[in-house]
Amino acid sequence: MEPLSLGLQEVNGLFNWRADGTITDADDGFLQLIGYSREEMRAGQVEWPILTPPEYLAQDMRFLQKIVTQGHTGTFRKVLLDRNGRRLVVDVRAKLS
């Protein structure tokens, strides 16, 4: 499966991730938002499931399926967890790249 690109509109944060949840690349804005370093990301320590509250994992699976079947999503609201467990509400848009 192709890598996925996700853009966080309000902070202009961008990152790429694989369907298994591993974030493979991110810009400084996204890393600052979630509180992880580039080194931690490169070491595979930043994954989509740890950034998602458990009660939102099923929603994210539906989101992933939409990307696979349609190649993209419209903008939707997402809850992320930063490194300290703080909930962040962001608008996201995704596409296969």
Side-chain angles (χ1 to χ4, degrees), residues 8 11 29-35 51 53 56 77-92:
L8 302 175
V11 297
F30 180 73
L31 292 172
Q32 182 178 13
L33 176 73
I34 62 171
L51 299 176
Y56 289 96
R77 185 83 10 131
K78 165 133 181 81
V79 178
L80 287 174
L81 295 173
D82 73 4
R83 167 180 223 113
N84 298 315
R86 186 179 68 170
R87 289 173 182 245
L88 310 166
V89 178
V90 296
D91 292 324
V92 297

Side-chain angles (χ1 to χ4, degrees), residues 55-97:
E55 65 271 23
Y56 289 96
L57 287 173
Q59 173 184 311
D60 281 8
M61 293 307 295
R62 289 189 299 273
F63 157 76
L64 179 59
Q65 186 61 37
K66 185 174 183 179
I67 297 169
V68 170
T69 59
Q70 297 180 5
H72 62 87
T73 67
T75 302
F76 70 97
R77 185 83 10 131
K78 165 133 181 81
V79 178
L80 287 174
L81 295 173
D82 73 4
R83 167 180 223 113
N84 298 315
R86 186 179 68 170
R87 289 173 182 245
L88 310 166
V89 178
V90 296
D91 292 324
V92 297
R93 183 177 46 185
K95 67 177 181 127
L96 287 174
S97 61

Side-chain angles (χ1 to χ4, degrees), residues 16-30:
N16 295 321
W17 60 298
R18 295 190 303 250
D20 69 359
T22 304
I23 294 176
T24 58
D25 192 21
D27 70 1
D28 292 338
F30 180 73

Side-chain angles (χ1 to χ4, degrees), residues 6-19:
L6 204 63
L8 302 175
Q9 293 181 329
E10 293 187 24
V11 297
N12 296 322
L14 298 172
F15 66 94
N16 295 321
W17 60 298
R18 295 190 303 250

